[in-house]
Structure formats: structure tokens, C-alpha cells
Amino acid sequence: DTEVTQTPKHLVMGMTNKKSLKCEQHMGHRAMYWYKQKAKKPPELMFVYSYEKLSINESVPSRFSPECPNSSLLNLHLHALQPEDSALYLCASSQDLLAATYNEQFFGPGTRLTVL
Amino acid sequence: KQEVTQIPAALSVPEGENLVLNCSFTDSAIYNLQWFRQDPGKGLTSLLLIQSSQREQTSGRLNASLDKSSGRSTLYIAASQPGDSATYLCAVCSQAGTALIFGKGTTLSVSS
């Protein structure tokens, strides 16, 4: 099973709302990622968790707050977003961030976020 | 700094044609290269991963090659079908402990 699941599929929120995106994998992977993708652009890395610890933060604004409650779950908490934050948010996982040669990434279907 | 380029940006072919998508990278010191497929508004599907020590990988009608010394990879699609229409992205892992660096993709359209 190479499935990464994400909920919700679509989310519309106002600039004063607080919401969360969820990601889950049951492949025993120890690295999990959040990417942001705008239309007709490649994915942009936001955060990487390795063994449930934040390993990479690509200078993401604090209105995005990641959380890794356990090795299978990854959350992205959203607060006071701007309309320009509207995008497809993708979660991915891989076996081990440091096992670079074999580190195949598997992506979820994404959450389409619209900020009004 | 590693940069990944994909040419062409878009490609239209008739059904049944064999085709090649190109990916180039500026720093040959990579750990692996991965090809993905993305349908509009969807997530990425991993097609093939080529480790740095490998020259090619095959899956069904897909064959990906890697030439590290020249900084190039190609994705060969045999006997293309309308269902192959999608955007194809290549990405490289340049450093252990870091994430992938993506190209901008090639959007493929196969007409019946």
C-alpha cells in the first residue's frame, strides 16, 4: 500500500478563520512533507519532518503551523491566512530522509484551499 | 545551487507515437532522480525513481534513463495513449537530509 491520504479535499476559509489540514500514511515512513503548489507551477517545499521532529522549515510564514503527532500523522494548522495563500497543499512521505539514495517520495491527492 | 530544467514545456502528439521527455540538472552530484505524473488539480504519482548508481529504470511502457555526468535524464513513453495526457515532473535529490528539487514540468497531450 503506497497511499497517502489527505483531508479535506477542498477547504474554503476566511482570513480570520482557523483550520487544519490532515495527512496520514501507513507505510511506516519516517519522513513527511508539506508542499504548496500554485497553478501551473511545480510544488514548493514548506516543511519536512524526520522521525517526528521538524527538520526543514523553508522560511514559511508563522500563519502556517505544522504538527506531527505521531509517525503516521501530519497536520498543518492555518490561521489568519491571506488570499494569496490559496493553492493546492500536498502532503508526501518517504522512508527515511537521510537514506537519500532510496528515498522515493509518495504524494497524497492534496487539499485545494481557497482563502476569501 | 541545483537547478532542474524540463524541455519542452508542452508537447502534443497523436495516439500511438513514441515520445521522449527531457530533464536536465546543473549539479551532477545527485542521490536520485524521480519522475512524477500529475493530472490537473490532483496530487503527484510517482512513476520511477532512479538511484544515482543506476542508468535506467523501466515500468510498463515507461523507461527512464539517467546520465549523471552530463546532467540529463529522459523519460521514454512507448505507444502513447490519451490516458497518458498529464504533466510530467522530474525532481532530483542533491543532498542527504534535504527534499527534492523540481523542474517546472512538461505538459503532454495525446490525441486520439
Side-chain angles (χ1 to χ4, degrees), chain B residues 14 26 83 86 106:
Chain B
T26 54
T106 294

mmCIF file of all heavy atoms in Angstrom, chain B residues 14 26 83 86 106:
data_model
loop_
_atom_site.group_PDB
_atom_site.id
_atom_site.type_symbol
_atom_site.label_atom_id
_atom_site.label_comp_id
_atom_site.label_asym_id
_atom_site.label_seq_id
_atom_site.Cartn_x
_atom_site.Cartn_y
_atom_site.Cartn_z
ATOM 1 N N PRO B 14 0.019 12.551 -31.538
ATOM 2 C CA PRO B 14 -1.119 11.663 -31.817
ATOM 3 C C PRO B 14 -0.941 10.342 -31.090
ATOM 4 O O PRO B 14 0.189 9.917 -30.777
ATOM 5 C CB PRO B 14 -1.038 11.486 -33.341
ATOM 6 C CG PRO B 14 0.394 11.679 -33.662
ATOM 7 C CD PRO B 14 0.922 12.672 -32.692
ATOM 8 N N THR B 26 21.848 20.895 -13.087
ATOM 9 C CA THR B 26 23.121 21.609 -13.205
ATOM 10 C C THR B 26 24.233 20.983 -12.379
ATOM 11 O O THR B 26 25.406 21.116 -12.731
ATOM 12 C CB THR B 26 22.943 23.073 -12.774
ATOM 13 O OG1 THR B 26 22.365 23.114 -11.464
ATOM 14 C CG2 THR B 26 22.044 23.815 -13.760
ATOM 15 N N GLY B 83 -4.845 8.490 -22.302
ATOM 16 C CA GLY B 83 -4.755 8.462 -20.841
ATOM 17 C C GLY B 83 -3.399 8.874 -20.303
ATOM 18 O O GLY B 83 -3.260 9.092 -19.099
ATOM 19 N N ALA B 86 -1.085 14.395 -19.276
ATOM 20 C CA ALA B 86 -0.842 14.861 -17.898
ATOM 21 C C ALA B 86 0.391 15.748 -17.925
ATOM 22 O O ALA B 86 1.026 15.916 -18.969
ATOM 23 C CB ALA B 86 -0.616 13.685 -16.955
ATOM 24 N N THR B 106 6.646 19.089 -17.944
ATOM 25 C CA THR B 106 6.241 19.042 -19.348
ATOM 26 C C THR B 106 4.795 18.599 -19.380
ATOM 27 O O THR B 106 4.461 17.542 -18.845
ATOM 28 C CB THR B 106 7.098 18.069 -20.162
ATOM 29 O OG1 THR B 106 8.443 18.543 -20.224
ATOM 30 C CG2 THR B 106 6.544 17.913 -21.579
#
